[in-house]
Amino acid sequence: MAHKFDPSHLAVLDTEERRKLLAPAQTLTALGFSAEHTLADIGCGTGLFTLPAAEINRGKGTVYAVDIAREMLDEVERRAVAAGLANIKAVRADEYAFHLPDAVADLLIACTVLHEIDDKVLWLKEAARVCRRGGNIAVIEFDPAFTGFGPPADHRLPKNQTLASLREAGFVPMEEMSLHGAFYVIKAARQ
């Protein structure tokens, strides 16, 4: 069974080092996210990508903050109110059911989530369901060689396994990036 993040430790999702390495606003821009797009941040945590996305498309698009932990969604909603962001919709999900409409998002972000999922292909097929045709998913995972922080090495997901799962779920990998050697990003298109 895959290791699951304990929501009572949500402070570790907000360290300055993690923010610097993931560079959410810059990463969203590099992935092609723009003001007109709808984003679904699956496994949103405390909103590391949700809040910058809502800033980018303020008043023009919707950002879905999706998580299985109510504590995470409460934190995102609190931060959205504090930032004056009204375009974020918090959605409580089940592991394999995101509770979003079909084809609702132009871009899905799954930041350090996939390694926690037992049936990665089933999970990615649910992601494909909510992704618009021609839309994209960006899977961000810990680089197995990075030792600065994160889950133990045996809980990390090698890039080749991520690529295989994306293909099996019907996505076509298009681009790979490294975020400061700490994370890898695979952007894949829904066909």
PDB file of all heavy atoms in Angstrom, residues 87-123:
ATOM      1  N   ASN A  87     -12.306  33.021  -7.063  1.00  0.00           N
ATOM      2  CA  ASN A  87     -12.425  32.091  -8.194  1.00  0.00           C
ATOM      3  C   ASN A  87     -11.905  30.693  -7.879  1.00  0.00           C
ATOM      4  O   ASN A  87     -11.623  29.901  -8.776  1.00  0.00           O
ATOM      5  CB  ASN A  87     -11.720  32.656  -9.426  1.00  0.00           C
ATOM      6  CG  ASN A  87     -10.261  33.002  -9.181  1.00  0.00           C
ATOM      7  OD1 ASN A  87      -9.852  33.299  -8.073  1.00  0.00           O
ATOM      8  ND2 ASN A  87      -9.464  32.971 -10.234  1.00  0.00           N
ATOM      9  N   ILE A  88     -11.785  30.360  -6.590  1.00  0.00           N
ATOM     10  CA  ILE A  88     -11.357  29.024  -6.171  1.00  0.00           C
ATOM     11  C   ILE A  88     -12.567  28.260  -5.657  1.00  0.00           C
ATOM     12  O   ILE A  88     -13.316  28.767  -4.827  1.00  0.00           O
ATOM     13  CB  ILE A  88     -10.280  29.103  -5.065  1.00  0.00           C
ATOM     14  CG1 ILE A  88      -9.011  29.751  -5.617  1.00  0.00           C
ATOM     15  CG2 ILE A  88      -9.978  27.714  -4.509  1.00  0.00           C
ATOM     16  CD1 ILE A  88      -7.953  30.027  -4.557  1.00  0.00           C
ATOM     17  N   LYS A  89     -12.729  27.046  -6.166  1.00  0.00           N
ATOM     18  CA  LYS A  89     -13.793  26.162  -5.680  1.00  0.00           C
ATOM     19  C   LYS A  89     -13.137  24.950  -5.027  1.00  0.00           C
ATOM     20  O   LYS A  89     -12.428  24.192  -5.686  1.00  0.00           O
ATOM     21  CB  LYS A  89     -14.701  25.715  -6.827  1.00  0.00           C
ATOM     22  CG  LYS A  89     -15.509  26.844  -7.404  1.00  0.00           C
ATOM     23  CD  LYS A  89     -16.472  26.346  -8.458  1.00  0.00           C
ATOM     24  CE  LYS A  89     -17.268  27.519  -9.009  1.00  0.00           C
ATOM     25  NZ  LYS A  89     -18.183  27.105 -10.064  1.00  0.00           N
ATOM     26  N   ALA A  90     -13.380  24.775  -3.739  1.00  0.00           N
ATOM     27  CA  ALA A  90     -12.833  23.630  -3.008  1.00  0.00           C
ATOM     28  C   ALA A  90     -13.757  22.431  -3.185  1.00  0.00           C
ATOM     29  O   ALA A  90     -14.971  22.558  -3.046  1.00  0.00           O
ATOM     30  CB  ALA A  90     -12.684  23.967  -1.534  1.00  0.00           C
ATOM     31  N   VAL A  91     -13.161  21.283  -3.507  1.00  0.00           N
ATOM     32  CA  VAL A  91     -13.932  20.072  -3.777  1.00  0.00           C
ATOM     33  C   VAL A  91     -13.328  18.916  -2.987  1.00  0.00           C
ATOM     34  O   VAL A  91     -12.153  18.585  -3.161  1.00  0.00           O
ATOM     35  CB  VAL A  91     -13.935  19.726  -5.282  1.00  0.00           C
ATOM     36  CG1 VAL A  91     -14.716  18.452  -5.548  1.00  0.00           C
ATOM     37  CG2 VAL A  91     -14.471  20.886  -6.107  1.00  0.00           C
ATOM     38  N   ARG A  92     -14.132  18.309  -2.149  1.00  0.00           N
ATOM     39  CA  ARG A  92     -13.686  17.129  -1.386  1.00  0.00           C
ATOM     40  C   ARG A  92     -13.809  15.912  -2.296  1.00  0.00           C
ATOM     41  O   ARG A  92     -14.880  15.608  -2.807  1.00  0.00           O
ATOM     42  CB  ARG A  92     -14.553  16.963  -0.134  1.00  0.00           C
ATOM     43  CG  ARG A  92     -14.208  15.746   0.688  1.00  0.00           C
ATOM     44  CD  ARG A  92     -13.239  16.094   1.809  1.00  0.00           C
ATOM     45  NE  ARG A  92     -12.795  14.927   2.531  1.00  0.00           N
ATOM     46  CZ  ARG A  92     -13.320  14.499   3.667  1.00  0.00           C
ATOM     47  NH1 ARG A  92     -14.333  15.119   4.218  1.00  0.00           N
ATOM     48  NH2 ARG A  92     -12.813  13.442   4.260  1.00  0.00           N
ATOM     49  N   ALA A  93     -12.715  15.226  -2.483  1.00  0.00           N
ATOM     50  CA  ALA A  93     -12.649  14.085  -3.389  1.00  0.00           C
ATOM     51  C   ALA A  93     -12.526  12.785  -2.611  1.00  0.00           C
ATOM     52  O   ALA A  93     -12.163  12.766  -1.440  1.00  0.00           O
ATOM     53  CB  ALA A  93     -11.455  14.232  -4.325  1.00  0.00           C
ATOM     54  N   ASP A  94     -12.803  11.714  -3.318  1.00  0.00           N
ATOM     55  CA  ASP A  94     -12.411  10.383  -2.885  1.00  0.00           C
ATOM     56  C   ASP A  94     -11.150  10.064  -3.681  1.00  0.00           C
ATOM     57  O   ASP A  94     -10.850  10.719  -4.680  1.00  0.00           O
ATOM     58  CB  ASP A  94     -13.511   9.365  -3.195  1.00  0.00           C
ATOM     59  CG  ASP A  94     -14.794   9.653  -2.423  1.00  0.00           C
ATOM     60  OD1 ASP A  94     -14.699   9.932  -1.210  1.00  0.00           O
ATOM     61  OD2 ASP A  94     -15.864   9.616  -3.035  1.00  0.00           O
ATOM     62  N   GLU A  95     -10.423   9.055  -3.267  1.00  0.00           N
ATOM     63  CA  GLU A  95      -9.141   8.801  -3.929  1.00  0.00           C
ATOM     64  C   GLU A  95      -9.259   8.611  -5.436  1.00  0.00           C
ATOM     65  O   GLU A  95      -8.441   9.122  -6.191  1.00  0.00           O
ATOM     66  CB  GLU A  95      -8.446   7.592  -3.305  1.00  0.00           C
ATOM     67  CG  GLU A  95      -7.037   7.422  -3.802  1.00  0.00           C
ATOM     68  CD  GLU A  95      -6.203   6.523  -2.919  1.00  0.00           C
ATOM     69  OE1 GLU A  95      -6.592   6.247  -1.781  1.00  0.00           O
ATOM     70  OE2 GLU A  95      -5.142   6.104  -3.393  1.00  0.00           O
ATOM     71  N   TYR A  96     -10.269   7.895  -5.879  1.00  0.00           N
ATOM     72  CA  TYR A  96     -10.402   7.613  -7.313  1.00  0.00           C
ATOM     73  C   TYR A  96     -11.608   8.293  -7.944  1.00  0.00           C
ATOM     74  O   TYR A  96     -11.992   7.961  -9.069  1.00  0.00           O
ATOM     75  CB  TYR A  96     -10.457   6.102  -7.552  1.00  0.00           C
ATOM     76  CG  TYR A  96      -9.211   5.396  -7.063  1.00  0.00           C
ATOM     77  CD1 TYR A  96      -9.236   4.659  -5.884  1.00  0.00           C
ATOM     78  CD2 TYR A  96      -8.015   5.488  -7.761  1.00  0.00           C
ATOM     79  CE1 TYR A  96      -8.086   4.021  -5.419  1.00  0.00           C
ATOM     80  CE2 TYR A  96      -6.868   4.862  -7.306  1.00  0.00           C
ATOM     81  CZ  TYR A  96      -6.909   4.127  -6.138  1.00  0.00           C
ATOM     82  OH  TYR A  96      -5.772   3.503  -5.676  1.00  0.00           O
ATOM     83  N   ALA A  97     -12.211   9.244  -7.259  1.00  0.00           N
ATOM     84  CA  ALA A  97     -13.338  10.015  -7.788  1.00  0.00           C
ATOM     85  C   ALA A  97     -13.154  11.461  -7.350  1.00  0.00           C
ATOM     86  O   ALA A  97     -13.232  11.766  -6.168  1.00  0.00           O
ATOM     87  CB  ALA A  97     -14.666   9.459  -7.279  1.00  0.00           C
ATOM     88  N   PHE A  98     -12.892  12.335  -8.315  1.00  0.00           N
ATOM     89  CA  PHE A  98     -12.564  13.716  -7.992  1.00  0.00           C
ATOM     90  C   PHE A  98     -13.803  14.587  -7.760  1.00  0.00           C
ATOM     91  O   PHE A  98     -13.675  15.712  -7.313  1.00  0.00           O
ATOM     92  CB  PHE A  98     -11.699  14.328  -9.085  1.00  0.00           C
ATOM     93  CG  PHE A  98     -10.391  13.618  -9.316  1.00  0.00           C
ATOM     94  CD1 PHE A  98      -9.722  13.771 -10.516  1.00  0.00           C
ATOM     95  CD2 PHE A  98      -9.817  12.796  -8.357  1.00  0.00           C
ATOM     96  CE1 PHE A  98      -8.514  13.130 -10.754  1.00  0.00           C
ATOM     97  CE2 PHE A  98      -8.611  12.153  -8.578  1.00  0.00           C
ATOM     98  CZ  PHE A  98      -7.963  12.316  -9.787  1.00  0.00           C
ATOM     99  N   HIS A  99     -14.976  14.099  -8.115  1.00  0.00           N
ATOM    100  CA  HIS A  99     -16.238  14.840  -7.944  1.00  0.00           C
ATOM    101  C   HIS A  99     -16.232  16.164  -8.709  1.00  0.00           C
ATOM    102  O   HIS A  99     -16.691  17.188  -8.210  1.00  0.00           O
ATOM    103  CB  HIS A  99     -16.574  15.037  -6.460  1.00  0.00           C
ATOM    104  CG  HIS A  99     -16.677  13.746  -5.716  1.00  0.00           C
ATOM    105  ND1 HIS A  99     -17.673  12.825  -5.967  1.00  0.00           N
ATOM    106  CD2 HIS A  99     -15.894  13.205  -4.749  1.00  0.00           C
ATOM    107  CE1 HIS A  99     -17.500  11.774  -5.183  1.00  0.00           C
ATOM    108  NE2 HIS A  99     -16.427  11.978  -4.443  1.00  0.00           N
ATOM    109  N   LEU A 100     -15.698  16.110  -9.922  1.00  0.00           N
ATOM    110  CA  LEU A 100     -15.716  17.235 -10.852  1.00  0.00           C
ATOM    111  C   LEU A 100     -16.462  16.801 -12.108  1.00  0.00           C
ATOM    112  O   LEU A 100     -16.498  15.611 -12.429  1.00  0.00           O
ATOM    113  CB  LEU A 100     -14.286  17.643 -11.241  1.00  0.00           C
ATOM    114  CG  LEU A 100     -13.409  18.233 -10.148  1.00  0.00           C
ATOM    115  CD1 LEU A 100     -11.985  18.427 -10.664  1.00  0.00           C
ATOM    116  CD2 LEU A 100     -13.975  19.558  -9.665  1.00  0.00           C
ATOM    117  N   PRO A 101     -17.025  17.765 -12.847  1.00  0.00           N
ATOM    118  CA  PRO A 101     -17.696  17.410 -14.104  1.00  0.00           C
ATOM    119  C   PRO A 101     -16.714  16.859 -15.139  1.00  0.00           C
ATOM    120  O   PRO A 101     -15.498  17.113 -15.060  1.00  0.00           O
ATOM    121  CB  PRO A 101     -18.283  18.741 -14.587  1.00  0.00           C
ATOM    122  CG  PRO A 101     -18.273  19.648 -13.405  1.00  0.00           C
ATOM    123  CD  PRO A 101     -17.154  19.188 -12.527  1.00  0.00           C
ATOM    124  N   ASP A 102     -17.233  16.161 -16.123  1.00  0.00           N
ATOM    125  CA  ASP A 102     -16.423  15.688 -17.242  1.00  0.00           C
ATOM    126  C   ASP A 102     -15.822  16.883 -17.981  1.00  0.00           C
ATOM    127  O   ASP A 102     -16.472  17.924 -18.133  1.00  0.00           O
ATOM    128  CB  ASP A 102     -17.270  14.889 -18.241  1.00  0.00           C
ATOM    129  CG  ASP A 102     -17.756  13.566 -17.690  1.00  0.00           C
ATOM    130  OD1 ASP A 102     -17.277  13.130 -16.626  1.00  0.00           O
ATOM    131  OD2 ASP A 102     -18.640  12.966 -18.339  1.00  0.00           O
ATOM    132  N   ALA A 103     -14.606  16.722 -18.454  1.00  0.00           N
ATOM    133  CA  ALA A 103     -13.941  17.678 -19.345  1.00  0.00           C
ATOM    134  C   ALA A 103     -14.003  19.121 -18.841  1.00  0.00           C
ATOM    135  O   ALA A 103     -14.207  20.053 -19.609  1.00  0.00           O
ATOM    136  CB  ALA A 103     -14.534  17.574 -20.751  1.00  0.00           C
ATOM    137  N   VAL A 104     -13.774  19.330 -17.553  1.00  0.00           N
ATOM    138  CA  VAL A 104     -13.920  20.656 -16.956  1.00  0.00           C
ATOM    139  C   VAL A 104     -12.626  21.474 -16.951  1.00  0.00           C
ATOM    140  O   VAL A 104     -12.666  22.696 -16.913  1.00  0.00           O
ATOM    141  CB  VAL A 104     -14.498  20.555 -15.524  1.00  0.00           C
ATOM    142  CG1 VAL A 104     -13.461  20.008 -14.547  1.00  0.00           C
ATOM    143  CG2 VAL A 104     -15.049  21.870 -15.041  1.00  0.00           C
ATOM    144  N   ALA A 105     -11.471  20.819 -17.014  1.00  0.00           N
ATOM    145  CA  ALA A 105     -10.200  21.531 -16.813  1.00  0.00           C
ATOM    146  C   ALA A 105      -9.319  21.527 -18.054  1.00  0.00           C
ATOM    147  O   ALA A 105      -9.231  20.530 -18.770  1.00  0.00           O
ATOM    148  CB  ALA A 105      -9.435  20.913 -15.645  1.00  0.00           C
ATOM    149  N   ASP A 106      -8.654  22.659 -18.267  1.00  0.00           N
ATOM    150  CA  ASP A 106      -7.649  22.759 -19.332  1.00  0.00           C
ATOM    151  C   ASP A 106      -6.316  22.177 -18.871  1.00  0.00           C
ATOM    152  O   ASP A 106      -5.559  21.649 -19.670  1.00  0.00           O
ATOM    153  CB  ASP A 106      -7.425  24.231 -19.705  1.00  0.00           C
ATOM    154  CG  ASP A 106      -8.688  24.881 -20.214  1.00  0.00           C
ATOM    155  OD1 ASP A 106      -9.149  24.500 -21.299  1.00  0.00           O
ATOM    156  OD2 ASP A 106      -9.226  25.765 -19.506  1.00  0.00           O
ATOM    157  N   LEU A 107      -6.056  22.309 -17.566  1.00  0.00           N
ATOM    158  CA  LEU A 107      -4.809  21.807 -17.002  1.00  0.00           C
ATOM    159  C   LEU A 107      -5.088  21.214 -15.631  1.00  0.00           C
ATOM    160  O   LEU A 107      -5.814  21.812 -14.835  1.00  0.00           O
ATOM    161  CB  LEU A 107      -3.775  22.942 -16.858  1.00  0.00           C
ATOM    162  CG  LEU A 107      -2.444  22.588 -16.200  1.00  0.00           C
ATOM    163  CD1 LEU A 107      -1.650  21.583 -17.045  1.00  0.00           C
ATOM    164  CD2 LEU A 107      -1.603  23.850 -15.965  1.00  0.00           C
ATOM    165  N   LEU A 108      -4.539  20.042 -15.402  1.00  0.00           N
ATOM    166  CA  LEU A 108      -4.568  19.425 -14.080  1.00  0.00           C
ATOM    167  C   LEU A 108      -3.147  19.418 -13.549  1.00  0.00           C
ATOM    168  O   LEU A 108      -2.206  19.138 -14.295  1.00  0.00           O
ATOM    169  CB  LEU A 108      -5.074  17.981 -14.140  1.00  0.00           C
ATOM    170  CG  LEU A 108      -6.574  17.786 -14.305  1.00  0.00           C
ATOM    171  CD1 LEU A 108      -6.994  17.977 -15.743  1.00  0.00           C
ATOM    172  CD2 LEU A 108      -6.959  16.413 -13.831  1.00  0.00           C
ATOM    173  N   ILE A 109      -3.008  19.745 -12.270  1.00  0.00           N
ATOM    174  CA  ILE A 109      -1.714  19.665 -11.579  1.00  0.00           C
ATOM    175  C   ILE A 109      -1.835  18.567 -10.541  1.00  0.00           C
ATOM    176  O   ILE A 109      -2.813  18.528  -9.785  1.00  0.00           O
ATOM    177  CB  ILE A 109      -1.385  20.995 -10.872  1.00  0.00           C
ATOM    178  CG1 ILE A 109      -1.141  22.119 -11.881  1.00  0.00           C
ATOM    179  CG2 ILE A 109      -0.198  20.851  -9.932  1.00  0.00           C
ATOM    180  CD1 ILE A 109       0.226  22.127 -12.501  1.00  0.00           C
ATOM    181  N   ALA A 110      -0.862  17.691 -10.516  1.00  0.00           N
ATOM    182  CA  ALA A 110      -0.786  16.659  -9.476  1.00  0.00           C
ATOM    183  C   ALA A 110       0.617  16.740  -8.899  1.00  0.00           C
ATOM    184  O   ALA A 110       1.555  16.127  -9.402  1.00  0.00           O
ATOM    185  CB  ALA A 110      -1.066  15.287 -10.061  1.00  0.00           C
ATOM    186  N   CYS A 111       0.763  17.559  -7.858  1.00  0.00           N
ATOM    187  CA  CYS A 111       2.075  17.821  -7.276  1.00  0.00           C
ATOM    188  C   CYS A 111       2.323  16.894  -6.092  1.00  0.00           C
ATOM    189  O   CYS A 111       1.647  16.999  -5.068  1.00  0.00           O
ATOM    190  CB  CYS A 111       2.187  19.280  -6.856  1.00  0.00           C
ATOM    191  SG  CYS A 111       3.803  19.693  -6.170  1.00  0.00           S
ATOM    192  N   THR A 112       3.275  16.019  -6.247  1.00  0.00           N
ATOM    193  CA  THR A 112       3.705  15.035  -5.242  1.00  0.00           C
ATOM    194  C   THR A 112       2.525  14.250  -4.679  1.00  0.00           C
ATOM    195  O   THR A 112       2.408  14.026  -3.475  1.00  0.00           O
ATOM    196  CB  THR A 112       4.546  15.677  -4.111  1.00  0.00           C
ATOM    197  OG1 THR A 112       3.778  16.634  -3.389  1.00  0.00           O
ATOM    198  CG2 THR A 112       5.795  16.339  -4.672  1.00  0.00           C
ATOM    199  N   VAL A 113       1.674  13.802  -5.588  1.00  0.00           N
ATOM    200  CA  VAL A 113       0.477  13.043  -5.230  1.00  0.00           C
ATOM    201  C   VAL A 113       0.553  11.612  -5.752  1.00  0.00           C
ATOM    202  O   VAL A 113       0.225  10.664  -5.040  1.00  0.00           O
ATOM    203  CB  VAL A 113      -0.791  13.729  -5.793  1.00  0.00           C
ATOM    204  CG1 VAL A 113      -2.027  12.878  -5.590  1.00  0.00           C
ATOM    205  CG2 VAL A 113      -0.981  15.109  -5.184  1.00  0.00           C
ATOM    206  N   LEU A 114       0.980  11.443  -6.997  1.00  0.00           N
ATOM    207  CA  LEU A 114       0.876  10.145  -7.662  1.00  0.00           C
ATOM    208  C   LEU A 114       1.617   9.038  -6.911  1.00  0.00           C
ATOM    209  O   LEU A 114       1.152   7.898  -6.884  1.00  0.00           O
ATOM    210  CB  LEU A 114       1.364  10.247  -9.108  1.00  0.00           C
ATOM    211  CG  LEU A 114       0.941   9.115 -10.034  1.00  0.00           C
ATOM    212  CD1 LEU A 114      -0.569   8.981 -10.127  1.00  0.00           C
ATOM    213  CD2 LEU A 114       1.538   9.316 -11.420  1.00  0.00           C
ATOM    214  N   HIS A 115       2.722   9.362  -6.253  1.00  0.00           N
ATOM    215  CA  HIS A 115       3.456   8.321  -5.515  1.00  0.00           C
ATOM    216  C   HIS A 115       2.645   7.782  -4.335  1.00  0.00           C
ATOM    217  O   HIS A 115       2.947   6.714  -3.821  1.00  0.00           O
ATOM    218  CB  HIS A 115       4.827   8.829  -5.048  1.00  0.00           C
ATOM    219  CG  HIS A 115       4.772   9.803  -3.930  1.00  0.00           C
ATOM    220  ND1 HIS A 115       4.604  11.156  -4.133  1.00  0.00           N
ATOM    221  CD2 HIS A 115       4.867   9.636  -2.587  1.00  0.00           C
ATOM    222  CE1 HIS A 115       4.589  11.772  -2.961  1.00  0.00           C
ATOM    223  NE2 HIS A 115       4.742  10.876  -2.005  1.00  0.00           N
ATOM    224  N   GLU A 116       1.595   8.501  -3.920  1.00  0.00           N
ATOM    225  CA  GLU A 116       0.754   8.062  -2.796  1.00  0.00           C
ATOM    226  C   GLU A 116      -0.419   7.190  -3.242  1.00  0.00           C
ATOM    227  O   GLU A 116      -1.168   6.700  -2.400  1.00  0.00           O
ATOM    228  CB  GLU A 116       0.196   9.286  -2.053  1.00  0.00           C
ATOM    229  CG  GLU A 116       1.254  10.122  -1.384  1.00  0.00           C
ATOM    230  CD  GLU A 116       0.670  11.234  -0.536  1.00  0.00           C
ATOM    231  OE1 GLU A 116      -0.571  11.387  -0.490  1.00  0.00           O
ATOM    232  OE2 GLU A 116       1.461  11.945   0.107  1.00  0.00           O
ATOM    233  N   ILE A 117      -0.581   7.000  -4.530  1.00  0.00           N
ATOM    234  CA  ILE A 117      -1.724   6.289  -5.076  1.00  0.00           C
ATOM    235  C   ILE A 117      -1.357   4.835  -5.372  1.00  0.00           C
ATOM    236  O   ILE A 117      -0.337   4.568  -6.019  1.00  0.00           O
ATOM    237  CB  ILE A 117      -2.213   6.979  -6.378  1.00  0.00           C
ATOM    238  CG1 ILE A 117      -2.513   8.470  -6.133  1.00  0.00           C
ATOM    239  CG2 ILE A 117      -3.397   6.254  -6.985  1.00  0.00           C
ATOM    240  CD1 ILE A 117      -3.574   8.754  -5.111  1.00  0.00           C
ATOM    241  N   ASP A 118      -2.192   3.905  -4.927  1.00  0.00           N
ATOM    242  CA  ASP A 118      -1.934   2.483  -5.204  1.00  0.00           C
ATOM    243  C   ASP A 118      -2.156   2.156  -6.675  1.00  0.00           C
ATOM    244  O   ASP A 118      -1.280   1.613  -7.329  1.00  0.00           O
ATOM    245  CB  ASP A 118      -2.814   1.599  -4.321  1.00  0.00           C
ATOM    246  CG  ASP A 118      -2.364   1.606  -2.857  1.00  0.00           C
ATOM    247  OD1 ASP A 118      -1.137   1.607  -2.617  1.00  0.00           O
ATOM    248  OD2 ASP A 118      -3.236   1.623  -1.979  1.00  0.00           O
ATOM    249  N   ASP A 119      -3.338   2.458  -7.205  1.00  0.00           N
ATOM    250  CA  ASP A 119      -3.655   2.161  -8.602  1.00  0.00           C
ATOM    251  C   ASP A 119      -3.495   3.441  -9.419  1.00  0.00           C
ATOM    252  O   ASP A 119      -4.443   4.202  -9.624  1.00  0.00           O
ATOM    253  CB  ASP A 119      -5.076   1.600  -8.723  1.00  0.00           C
ATOM    254  CG  ASP A 119      -5.372   1.051 -10.114  1.00  0.00           C
ATOM    255  OD1 ASP A 119      -4.741   1.506 -11.092  1.00  0.00           O
ATOM    256  OD2 ASP A 119      -6.250   0.174 -10.211  1.00  0.00           O
ATOM    257  N   LYS A 120      -2.283   3.674  -9.869  1.00  0.00           N
ATOM    258  CA  LYS A 120      -1.956   4.912 -10.563  1.00  0.00           C
ATOM    259  C   LYS A 120      -2.718   5.069 -11.874  1.00  0.00           C
ATOM    260  O   LYS A 120      -3.164   6.168 -12.222  1.00  0.00           O
ATOM    261  CB  LYS A 120      -0.449   5.003 -10.789  1.00  0.00           C
ATOM    262  CG  LYS A 120       0.293   5.182  -9.458  1.00  0.00           C
ATOM    263  CD  LYS A 120       1.745   4.825  -9.558  1.00  0.00           C
ATOM    264  CE  LYS A 120       2.489   4.966  -8.253  1.00  0.00           C
ATOM    265  NZ  LYS A 120       1.831   4.524  -7.039  1.00  0.00           N
ATOM    266  N   VAL A 121      -2.904   3.989 -12.597  1.00  0.00           N
ATOM    267  CA  VAL A 121      -3.613   4.068 -13.875  1.00  0.00           C
ATOM    268  C   VAL A 121      -5.084   4.419 -13.662  1.00  0.00           C
ATOM    269  O   VAL A 121      -5.632   5.283 -14.357  1.00  0.00           O
ATOM    270  CB  VAL A 121      -3.444   2.763 -14.687  1.00  0.00           C
ATOM    271  CG1 VAL A 121      -4.299   2.778 -15.951  1.00  0.00           C
ATOM    272  CG2 VAL A 121      -1.967   2.553 -15.045  1.00  0.00           C
ATOM    273  N   LEU A 122      -5.734   3.796 -12.701  1.00  0.00           N
ATOM    274  CA  LEU A 122      -7.131   4.126 -12.398  1.00  0.00           C
ATOM    275  C   LEU A 122      -7.256   5.601 -12.007  1.00  0.00           C
ATOM    276  O   LEU A 122      -8.153   6.306 -12.466  1.00  0.00           O
ATOM    277  CB  LEU A 122      -7.655   3.229 -11.272  1.00  0.00           C
ATOM    278  CG  LEU A 122      -9.106   3.463 -10.850  1.00  0.00           C
ATOM    279  CD1 LEU A 122     -10.063   3.170 -11.993  1.00  0.00           C
ATOM    280  CD2 LEU A 122      -9.437   2.583  -9.633  1.00  0.00           C
ATOM    281  N   TRP A 123      -6.347   6.081 -11.179  1.00  0.00           N
ATOM    282  CA  TRP A 123      -6.351   7.478 -10.751  1.00  0.00           C
ATOM    283  C   TRP A 123      -6.163   8.408 -11.949  1.00  0.00           C
ATOM    284  O   TRP A 123      -6.864   9.413 -12.092  1.00  0.00           O
ATOM    285  CB  TRP A 123      -5.249   7.685  -9.715  1.00  0.00           C
ATOM    286  CG  TRP A 123      -5.299   8.986  -8.979  1.00  0.00           C
ATOM    287  CD1 TRP A 123      -5.932   9.241  -7.800  1.00  0.00           C
ATOM    288  CD2 TRP A 123      -4.663  10.210  -9.350  1.00  0.00           C
ATOM    289  NE1 TRP A 123      -5.730  10.551  -7.426  1.00  0.00           N
ATOM    290  CE2 TRP A 123      -4.953  11.168  -8.370  1.00  0.00           C
ATOM    291  CE3 TRP A 123      -3.874  10.592 -10.438  1.00  0.00           C
ATOM    292  CZ2 TRP A 123      -4.487  12.480  -8.425  1.00  0.00           C
ATOM    293  CZ3 TRP A 123      -3.407  11.899 -10.503  1.00  0.00           C
ATOM    294  CH2 TRP A 123      -3.717  12.824  -9.499  1.00  0.00           C
TER     295      TRP A 123
END
